[in-house]
Amino acid sequence: DAKTTQPNSMESNEEEPVHLPCNHSTISGTDYIHWYRQLPSQGPEYVIHGLTSNVNNRMASLAIAEDRKSSTLILHRATLRDAAVYYCILRDGIKAAGNKLTFGGGTRVLVKP
Amino acid sequence: DTGVSQNPRHKITKRGQNVTFRCDPISEHNRLYWYRQTLGQGPEFLTYFQNEAQLEKSRLLSDRFSAERPKGSFSTLEIQRTEQGDSAMYLCASSSAGKGPKFETQYFGPGTRLLVL
């Protein structure tokens, strides 16, 4: 499985944007970039995913580098409820191996009031 | 919207005992996953079912672990002869597999926290 590299932790102030980087230099052409987050004492939840183009939804934006070797999850205005561990995950869009999620260590986001 | 539910939420057991966890997925979801998460780590895949068929098992799933999904609805995960190293959070997720991993979103339950003394 292609691996991802994320910083262990990041801090942000409330109401400010948060940019979470993810490196995936060995990404293959059929790998989709998925982001999940895990709030304290909860199971992970889906945030966003993309292949090549930047993506936006109500939770976040995903900016994907042109060579696809890195991506950035953007939380536009962090709230205290966004404090969580954010996981960047590659999923093969063709092979059955893409069915399971392969989590790394993720980035722990701390939001300060 | 009932979401994915797991029972019990917490389990304390003594080494050598057997434990069983239950997962009730979102009702229309045909795919069900089990993951294990130890403190400070991301979840690790254990196994998954499509309907009642167990399609993949991780090497983490030793002979002491068995999972079932008898009627393609709820699932159970049993650990026999528990060891202290089995202490972890056991997470269940479900999804609708119709569109494949390109679009599939997994919905996680709150997990069952196991402590083996």
Side-chain angles (χ1 to χ4, degrees):
Chain A
D1 292 337
K3 290 187 176 180
T4 62
T5 304
Q6 299 178 253
N8 289 335
S9 62
M10 294 188 71
E11 288 189 1
S12 174
N13 295 316
E14 198 175 10
E15 302 293 320
E16 289 185 356
V18 182
H19 289 68
L20 302 176
C22 180
N23 287 319
H24 29 79
S25 58
T26 60
I27 191 170
S28 74
T30 55
D31 284 335
Y32 282 71
I33 303 159
H34 286 245
W35 285 80
Y36 279 70
R37 72 178 185 180
Q38 188 170 21
L39 302 172
S41 301
Q42 295 188 25
E45 64 176 348
Y46 169 82
V47 177
I48 200 167
H49 79 280
L51 181 62
T52 56
S53 303
N54 295 345
V55 185
N56 300 295
N57 67 20
R58 63 175 180 82
M59 290 180 70
S61 295
L62 177 59
I64 301 173
E66 193 170 342
D67 64 4
R68 300 209 326 125
K69 294 185 177 182
S70 65
S71 60
T72 302
L73 181 71
I74 303 166
L75 308 178
H76 294 287
R77 292 180 64 195
T79 70
L80 296 178
R81 291 173 57 186
D82 291 321
V85 179
Y86 288 77
Y87 297 99
C88 172
I89 299 166
L90 299 183
R91 298 186 72 185
D92 193 310
I94 303 296
K95 299 176 184 175
N99 293 330
K100 61 180 180 285
L101 296 174
T102 302
F103 292 83
T107 297
R108 181 174 299 277
V109 172
L110 174 64
V111 180
K112 296 181 289 185
Chain B
D1 179 12
T2 56
V4 178
S5 62
Q6 293 188 246
N7 288 288
R9 292 292 308 275
H10 303 272
K11 179 70 176 179
I12 300 175
T13 190
K14 293 182 179 179
R15 189 177 55 185
Q17 298 295 304
N18 300 342
V19 294
T20 300
F21 310 140
R22 176 177 171 127
C23 171
D24 286 273
I26 294 171
S27 58
E28 64 268 25
H29 284 178
N30 57 355
R31 194 166 279 181
L32 187 148
Y33 299 80
W34 286 98
Y35 293 84
R36 180 175 71 183
Q37 184 173 27
T38 53
L39 206 60
Q41 305 296 316
E44 298 172 293
F45 169 78
L46 292 178
T47 188
Y48 87 91
F49 294 83
Q50 182 150 324
N51 300 312
E52 65 275 11
Q54 189 172 16
L55 296 186
E56 186 175 351
K57 293 193 291 185
S58 162
R59 279 172 282 185
L60 292 175
L61 212 66
S62 75
D63 292 344
R64 297 184 297 106
F65 288 70
S66 63
E68 294 182 346
R69 195 182 183 199
K71 295 183 180 180
S73 56
F74 73 92
S75 176
T76 58
L77 178 68
E78 181 184 15
I79 308 175
Q80 296 181 328
R81 305 180 304 280
T82 53
E83 302 172 356
Q84 288 181 327
D86 296 331
S87 296
M89 174 76 82
Y90 290 84
L91 293 160
C92 175
S94 71
S95 71
S96 177
K99 294 182 177 180
K102 294 180 184 180
F103 305 105
E104 178 217 35
T105 295
Q106 294 187 15
Y107 296 84
F108 284 79
T112 294
R113 184 169 295 283
L114 172 67
L115 177 61
V116 182
L117 302 175

